C-alpha cells in the first residue's frame, strides 16, 4: 500500500506465481492485476486461500480448457477448440507425464 497505510491486498495465494511476469495497471480508476502461474497447466480452485472456491463444474471446465490449451501448444496447427472429453478431463499438469516446461 501507500506509505503509512496498510496494504490494499494482503492475502496468501493458493498457488505460486512468477513475480517477474506478473504486474498491475490502473485504468479509468479500476485496478487490473495480471498474475502468471509458476506451474503451468495447474488449475486454481481459488485465488486467495480461505476465499471462495470454484464449484466442481467450473473446476472441471477449467481443467478441460487447460487441457485443450496444452494440446494446442504441443500440436501447433491443430484446432482443439471444439474437442470434448468423454467424462472428467484429466489434470493437464500430470496427464502423460505432465507439461514439459513452465
Amino acid at each position: 500500500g501507500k506509505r503509512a497505510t496498510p496494504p490494499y491486498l494482503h492475502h496468501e495465494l493458493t498457488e505460486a506465481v512468477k513475480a517477474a511476469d506478473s504486474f498491475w495497471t490502473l485504468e479509468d480508476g479500476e485496478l487490473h492485476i495480471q498474475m502468471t502461474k509458476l506451474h503451468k497447466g495447474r488449475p486454481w480452485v481459488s485465488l486467495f486461500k480461505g476465499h471462495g472456491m470454484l464449484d466442481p463444474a467450473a473446476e472441471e471446465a477449467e481443467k478441460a480448457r487447460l487441457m485443450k490449451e496444452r494440446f494446442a501448444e504441443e500440436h501447433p496447427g491443430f484446432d482443439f477448440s471444439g474437442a470434448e472429453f468423454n467424462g472428467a478431463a484429466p489434470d493437464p499438469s500430470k496427464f502423460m507425464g505432465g507439461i514439459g516446461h513452465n
Side-chain angles (χ1 to χ4, degrees), residues 19-39:
D21 295 342
S22 301
F23 59 93
W24 64 270
T25 59
L26 189 60
E27 298 174 23
D28 298 324
E30 189 171 297
L31 178 64
H32 297 266
I33 301 172
Q34 174 72 39
M35 290 188 257
T36 302
K37 295 177 181 180
L38 181 61
H39 305 288

Side-chain angles (χ1 to χ4, degrees), residues 34-92:
Q34 174 72 39
M35 290 188 257
T36 302
K37 295 177 181 180
L38 181 61
H39 305 288
K40 189 173 184 174
R42 185 180 297 170
W44 285 18
V45 294
S46 176
L47 178 60
F48 300 118
K49 287 185 179 178
H51 289 253
M53 305 280 284
L54 282 179
D55 64 76
E59 184 177 357
E60 208 45 51
E62 179 62 5
K63 282 183 5 186
R65 186 193 68 76
L66 289 169
M67 199 67 198
K68 291 178 195 180
E69 185 178 281
R70 175 182 167 185
F71 287 154
E73 286 180 8
E74 292 176 356
H75 305 283
F78 288 91
D79 180 11
F80 294 97
S81 61
E84 294 182 11
F85 293 95
N86 185 5
D91 183 338

